[in-house]
Amino acid sequence: MSEFETTGPERAGPERRPRVCVVGSGWRFTGGLSHYTCRLAGALADRSEVSALLMRRLLPRALYPGRARVGVKTAALDYDERVDVFDGVDWYWLPSLFGALRRLRRNRPDTVVFQWWTGTVAHTYLVLAAAARARGARVVVEFHEVQDTGEIRIPFVAAYTRRVLGALLRRSDAFLVHSEHDRQLLGDLFDLSGRPVTVVPHGPFDHYAVTHRPSPDGVFRLLFFGLIRPYKGLDVLIDAFHRLAPEEVSSFHLTVVGETWEGCTEPIEKIEASPYRDRITLVNRYVSDEEAKAHFAEADALVLPYRRSSASGPLHIAMSNGLPVVLSAVGGLVEAVGEYAGAVLVEPEDVPGLADGLRKARAAAGTRYPDPHTWQRNVEAILGRSAAAAEGGTR
């Protein structure tokens, strides 16, 4: 029997397709996990009966850093019509939780896959996991972050999340992570009691695939894309950009696209005071999918100077478009680009090294690289038909 094969009273057999429920982020608080949940559900629909339970109001709006855009439609992506979608469960539960429990009862999934990225969903996940297990479903937790970097810094929130997450993991049968780095981190933090942890790469974000638009003046266009948070290292990138000599910088242009979180204003201040301000475009807000596509269409390379990271949605957008990527050798990112020929790895917070990385990317101008990632690996890992075939293997 495969490690992810259903063991409940309604174990999937040849007479019917397996039933899978994906629990993750909805569109009201749109982010990378909203897209991931949608793409995973669609990929699973090719081989199983799929339902999705979405977290709708993740937390009180006043506490959300991007509160101004909550409820604003920014995603061009939508769920596959084969997926039964419940949108969704609110942080405060009433009455939405009862609707989610009714869907679980009606759809009777063999496997429920929880997408983990923030402690705000912990209490809801714990209840849904208990309900799933009571009906004989197998519970799988897929990790994108073991704990959000902003939450770690708040003592009460960090302790609460660790405790409730631990309770969820004790009720889980198996786990998915995106890198060996995260597998080790998860094992160091929690006693998984010999239950399987499968390393499976993040699926491609090829719904952002675009046709590249060459620069009319031959300038090499760098792109920083994503939330502006302390761990993202945008300040390091600005410092590295300043390391370029005046005669060099005329052949570069840097575009920064992102919404400021956690009071991370230092990079913005550096941009406004930059001696190369005319070579930097700043879009300091969360952009729609269509705007994101336009920025990637005009980019010649993506730069991710992270101080730490388990995974990165912008990285997978860039790889789906074959772009050169300059990124820090941290966390799960090294493994994510292990088979991607367009990656230029630099040490985190190494300003001269990052400046050299920008030059190396410039030397590869016009080159496009194949993306090694597919959703098939994720589907195989969840359905358990051939988990060993997933690169990274089972540990």
Side-chain angles (χ1 to χ4, degrees):
M1 179 181 292
S2 165
E3 63 191 19
F4 283 94
E5 190 172 337
T6 303
T7 58
E10 294 192 55
R11 180 161 52 91
E15 69 278 4
R16 67 168 175 84
R17 301 208 303 172
R19 292 191 289 256
V20 180
C21 177
V22 180
V23 185
S25 179
W27 297 119
R28 185 172 177 80
F29 287 70
T30 298
L33 256 295
S34 307
H35 290 80
Y36 188 94
T37 304
C38 182
R39 289 300 310 275
L40 176 62
L44 284 163
D46 290 334
R47 294 178 52 185
S48 59
E49 301 299 327
V50 183
S51 57
L53 298 180
L54 305 182
M55 302 298 102
R56 181 170 54 193
R57 292 178 173 87
L58 295 178
L59 72 165
R61 181 172 178 166
L63 300 178
Y64 187 66
R67 64 184 67 89
R69 61 176 171 85
V70 170
V72 177
K73 183 175 175 54
T74 59
L77 190 63
D78 205 354
Y79 276 81
D80 190 297
E81 62 182 10
R82 296 170 294 177
V83 179
D84 180 76
V85 180
F86 179 75
D87 187 12
V89 186
D90 299 324
W91 177 83
Y92 46 81
W93 282 359
L94 299 177
S96 59
L97 180 63
F98 297 109
L101 293 172
R102 284 194 296 270
R103 286 293 181 98
L104 271 179
R105 185 167 59 249
R106 186 187 78 185
N107 291 323
R108 295 175 298 154
D110 304 307
T111 303
V112 181
V113 185
F114 290 88
Q115 304 299 306
W116 177 267
W117 80 107
T118 174
T120 62
V121 300
H123 62 304
T124 304
Y125 278 16
L126 189 57
V127 170
L128 294 176
R133 286 183 65 86
R135 300 197 62 82
R138 193 166 179 82
V139 172
V140 177
V141 179
E142 180 172 6
F143 282 88
H144 301 270
E145 289 278 359
V146 176
Q147 189 166 1
D148 181 84
T149 56
E151 296 172 354
I152 290 173
R153 295 200 299 270
I154 307 174
F156 170 76
V157 172
Y160 162 80
T161 300
R162 179 76 62 84
R163 182 164 186 164
V164 182
L165 176 57
L168 173 64
L169 300 189
R170 288 193 294 273
R171 292 161 175 79
S172 303
D173 299 290
F175 312 96
L176 301 175
V177 294
H178 293 316
S179 66
E180 182 64 28
H181 171 271
D182 280 5
R183 187 202 68 80
Q184 183 65 50
L185 177 61
L186 185 62
D188 289 344
L189 292 174
F190 297 99
D191 177 12
L192 304 181
S193 301
R195 288 162 293 168
V197 182
T198 297
V199 178
V200 59
H202 188 297
F205 270 9
D206 48 9
H207 55 288
Y208 285 103
V210 291
T211 300
H212 182 251
R213 295 198 286 268
S215 171
D217 54 7
V219 169
F220 192 71
R221 297 164 300 181
L222 303 168
L223 175 65
F224 173 95
F225 188 91
L227 297 176
I228 298 173
R229 305 177 68 178
Y231 82 88
K232 295 292 187 77
L234 176 57
D235 55 314
V236 181
L237 172 56
I238 302 306
D239 289 344
F241 198 68
H242 291 163
R243 296 277 301 205
L244 300 174
E247 61 271 18
E248 285 183 289
V249 81
S250 62
S251 65
F252 285 92
H253 189 94
L254 171 62
T255 298
V256 174
V257 182
E259 179 180 66
T260 297
W261 279 30
E262 302 171 60
C264 187
T265 59
E266 180 187 359
I268 306 302
E269 294 165 359
K270 286 189 174 186
I271 289 172
E272 296 300 350
S274 173
Y276 298 148
R277 184 65 182 87
D278 63 329
R279 310 302 302 173
I280 304 174
T281 297
L282 174 63
V283 183
N284 191 199
R285 60 183 174 83
Y286 195 96
V287 299
S288 69
D289 282 0
E290 292 307 317
E291 291 175 291
K293 289 180 181 179
H295 287 297
F296 275 91
E298 294 177 354
D300 296 302
L302 179 72
V303 189
L304 302 175
Y306 295 172
R307 292 181 165 93
R308 63 168 298 278
S309 184
S310 290
S312 168
L315 171 61
H316 286 275
I317 298 174
M319 288 193 289
S320 290
N321 283 291
L323 289 174
V325 182
V326 184
L327 72 163
S328 301
V330 295
L333 299 189
V334 178
E335 294 173 61
V337 299
E339 299 175 4
Y340 188 67
V344 178
L345 289 167
V346 300
E347 291 301 311
E349 301 192 83
D350 179 359
V351 172
L354 182 56
D356 286 340
L358 303 182
R359 298 181 183 103
K360 290 178 182 177
R362 176 73 178 84
T367 306
R368 292 295 175 265
Y369 305 92
D371 186 355
H373 299 286
T374 74
W375 284 105
Q376 188 60 31
R377 294 171 174 176
N378 307 73
V379 171
E380 292 289 350
I382 291 170
L383 296 184
R385 299 309 184 198
S386 72
E391 291 190 19
T394 302
R395 303 290 188 268

